[in-house]
């Protein structure tokens, strides 16, 4: 396609049979409704069928008045409004405000939709941890419901999600990474035998597994120096604090309580808070323990780098007195299906 620039400094695109869909995508009216009302995040183009040209009609960031908004929506309803995929990140950020709309958007690849999901789930999870109230919980539950339905439709989608996790192993991502990895391991262990209603409950349990840490002082969590014995005792109480939060929210199902209470328990009884051992530790507690420990190992800290994924997985497999080896081996097999190019070197 040849380009020509107008007085606004926006390139108009001369087409042949139509816009190149690898470079320019249509914008659906429902997508347009996701954009901020005051200004839009991407440049917009009108496909002029009479002269076979994509003509610029809006530059990103400029004010949108009522007349312009109505005009753009009209073009969108006719299938004549396009944006450049060079601005896909800004476009995706807006679509993320409505997961159902994002899932139906043909302009987004599954890789891009996975990024939308992770961002939205992390936002919803952070909201619940910051303010564990029914309204925030409802937002997380609805987002998880959409996510579970989508990944069950195609098991390969969960692998793409885990690729994204390994692209960002920063400390601020440890919570969401641990939750999603636990869910991935659960789905792998129950492949072919997943009931969507149960999966949604299990997913919520994994997303709330560390909520007791919201009761621990941020200064204690970020402390570089070793904690005092008193602080260590306080830290080890966070699973019980998490259970108190669940009870206050009337979340009494065992699938929710088990990851919260048992993600620090170890098979040989050396864990906390109840020093459970062997069969006293449930299936979901064992998965949460492996996922949480793996993410702790690969996540960097101020005084040490995170381990390479292969080294962290090998270390878990070598600790058979602490971790369920069936869960560990499932994690290893699953990680082996993730392209190494997506993992940190």
């Amino acid at each position: 396609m040849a380009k020509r620039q107008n007085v606004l400094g926006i390139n108009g695109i001369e087409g042949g049979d139509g816009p190149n869909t690898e470079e320019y995508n249509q914008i659906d009216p429902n997508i347009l409704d996701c954009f901020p009302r005051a200004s839009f995040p991407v440049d917009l183009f009108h496909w002029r069928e009479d002269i076979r040209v994509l003509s610029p009609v809006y530059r990103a960031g400029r004010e949108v008045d009522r007349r312009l908004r109505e005009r753009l929506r009209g073009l969108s309803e006719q299938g004549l409004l396009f944006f450049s995929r060079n601005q896909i990140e800004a476009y995706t950020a807006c679509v993320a405000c409505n997961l159902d709309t994002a899932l139906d958007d043909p302009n987004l690849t599954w890789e891009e939709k996975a990024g939308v999901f992770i961002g939205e789930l992390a936002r919803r999870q952070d909201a619940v941890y910051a303010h564990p109230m029914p309204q925030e919980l409802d937002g997380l539950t609805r987002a998880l419901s959409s996510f579970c339905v989508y990944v069950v439709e195609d098991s390969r989608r969960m692998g793409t999600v885990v690729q994204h996790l390994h692209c960002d192993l920063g400390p601020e991502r440890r919570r969401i990474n641990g939750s999603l990895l636990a869910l991935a391991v659960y789905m792998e262990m129950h492949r072919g035998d997943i009931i969507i209603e149960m999966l949604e409950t299990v997913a919520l349990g994994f997303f709330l597994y560390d909520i007791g840490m919201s009761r621990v002082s941020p200064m204690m969590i970020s402390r570089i120096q070793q904690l005092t014995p008193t602080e260590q005792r306080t830290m080890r109480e966070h699973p019980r604090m998490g259970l108190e939060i669940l009870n206050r929210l009337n979340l009494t199902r065992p699938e929710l309580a088990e990851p919260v209470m048992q993600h620090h328990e170890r098979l040989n009884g050396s864990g906390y808070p109840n020093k459970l051992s062997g069969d006293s530790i449930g299936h979901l507690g064992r998965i949460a323990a492996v996922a949480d420990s793996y993410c702790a190992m690969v996540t960097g800290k101020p005084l040490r780098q995170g381990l390479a994924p292969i080294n962290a997985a090998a270390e878990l497999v070598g600790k058979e007195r602490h971790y369920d080896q069936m869960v560990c081996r499932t994690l290893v097999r699953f990680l082996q299906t993730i392209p190494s190019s997506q993992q940190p070197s």
Side-chain angles (χ1 to χ4, degrees), residues 32-40 62-66 69:
L32 204 63
D33 291 340
C34 292
F35 287 178
R37 293 190 62 81
S39 63
F40 295 163
R62 292 192 173 180
E63 183 178 353
V64 178
D65 59 23
R66 181 182 59 81
R69 186 178 297 106

Side-chain angles (χ1 to χ4, degrees), residues 45 64 72 86 100 126 129 160 172 178 207 229 275 281 286 302:
F45 299 84
V64 178
L72 295 175
N86 289 334
D100 292 332
D126 288 346
Y129 278 57
T160 304
E172 70 284 351
F207 267 71
K275 294 190 177 298
I281 305 174
R286 295 175 182 221

